[in-house]
Amino acid sequence: MKPIIGITPSFQEEKQQMSVHLAYCSAIVRAGGVPIILPYTGKEGVAEAFGLCHGLLLSGGEDIDPALFGEEPHPKLGGVSPTRDAFELALCRLALAYGLPVLGVCRGMQLLGVAGGGTMIQDIPAQTGNPVKHSQQAPRPYATHGIEVRTDSRLYEILGTERLRVNSFHHQAVDELGERFVSTACAADGIIEAIECPAHPFALGVQWHPEFMTETPAHLGLFEALVCAAAKGVENHASGFEQAD
Ligand code: MN
């Protein structure tokens, strides 16, 4: 049985409509997993979604409501989705508490940070000095800025390199991190580009969009690492059934 990876979609509050870029699903398939899209059906759906999945992929999208990390909204804050925030945060907290493998992409990484008690930079150009351009206008798979990776990290084990070029589609960033998380990669302007929770089996976030770069082994490797971590859950599940017989 292949690991089931639950993907959280974007949510348009006005239209009450979910959407997810196919690239996330294709990346999971390519990495050997089975992608499913998790519906935002309210609080009662969180535990069921959690129980169904061997791993989670938190996708990119809307800004996170700053009230969730104790701040007032900056004028440059973009659209927020309370429905998505509430569901994803609850799901993420379960994953952190029970060791379910989770990969956060862009907003997904920021959400991991907030779930771990961290804060955010609400708008990079307005709130930091001399930033790199993080809202690229180049094609999605095209890498536009460099990052430096901490060598004592799981991220480094996956990527196999200290320096990497990445794409960039964010105006927000992780700021302070809670005590369980560490920053594992930075851009030249000091903006955090990756985080992970060393005490967790697999809780890792990247600020770029590797789902559009899976032609490059290092980027595909992130999804393979998630599926591999999720596969261990499938094995445990299977051996549990054997013991029950
Ligand atoms: Mn960036």
Side-chain angles (χ1 to χ4, degrees):
M1 183 186 175
K2 288 181 178 179
I4 295 167
I5 308 295
I7 303 176
T8 56
S10 283
F11 189 69
Q12 289 174 274
E13 294 279 355
E14 272 182 31
K15 291 186 184 169
Q16 292 285 293
Q17 203 166 69
M18 309 192 318
S19 65
V20 66
H21 206 290
L22 190 63
Y24 291 106
C25 306
S26 306
I28 293 301
V29 169
R30 224 169 160 170
V34 178
I36 60 168
I37 315 297
L38 301 177
Y40 296 132
T41 50
K43 260 187 192 168
E44 56 285 349
V46 174
E48 270 121 24
F50 177 80
L52 192 64
C53 299
H54 304 110
L56 298 173
L57 174 55
L58 309 174
S59 73
E62 300 81 2
D63 286 358
I64 295 170
D65 181 354
L68 295 170
F69 49 91
E71 284 186 17
E72 291 298 311
H74 186 278
K76 295 280 185 187
L77 178 73
V80 297
S81 167
T83 303
R84 182 177 185 184
D85 282 345
F87 189 97
E88 269 189 326
L89 257 188
L91 188 63
C92 201
R93 285 184 176 134
L94 282 179
L96 291 177
Y98 292 98
L100 190 75
V102 52
L103 174 65
V105 168
C106 198
R107 167 200 160 90
M109 166 180 121
Q110 297 165 359
L111 195 97
L112 268 178
V114 171
T119 62
M120 302 256 309
I121 295 168
Q122 293 188 47
D123 186 65
I124 296 169
Q127 296 183 302
T128 67
N130 296 318
V132 164
K133 185 175 174 76
H134 289 281
S135 303
Q136 78 180 48
Q137 288 161 298
R140 285 175 181 271
Y142 188 73
T144 60
H145 75 67
I147 59 166
E148 203 161 315
V149 180
R150 255 176 75 164
T151 53
D152 61 344
S153 63
R154 182 180 294 237
L155 182 71
Y156 177 75
E157 284 172 30
I158 295 166
L159 300 176
T161 179
E162 262 179 86
R163 286 170 202 282
L164 187 71
R165 303 280 300 169
V166 299
N167 57 7
S168 194
F169 298 93
H170 59 114
H171 80 107
Q172 299 201 306
V174 162
D175 191 3
E176 300 291 330
L177 284 167
E179 58 186 21
R180 290 184 70 191
F181 277 89
V182 292
S183 159
T184 56
C186 278
D189 55 5
I191 291 294
I192 294 175
E193 289 277 340
I195 63 170
E196 63 192 47
C197 176
H200 189 279
F202 189 94
L204 193 149
V206 296
Q207 186 57 73
W208 69 97
H209 283 271
E211 74 277 13
F212 293 118
M213 308 178 87
T214 54
E215 297 297 325
T216 309
H219 297 291
L220 178 62
L222 288 162
F223 300 99
E224 289 172 336
L226 170 66
V227 170
C228 184
K232 289 181 182 136
V234 178
E235 278 168 32
N236 294 343
H237 206 66
S239 63
F241 280 125
E242 272 167 27
Q243 280 162 14
D245 291 340

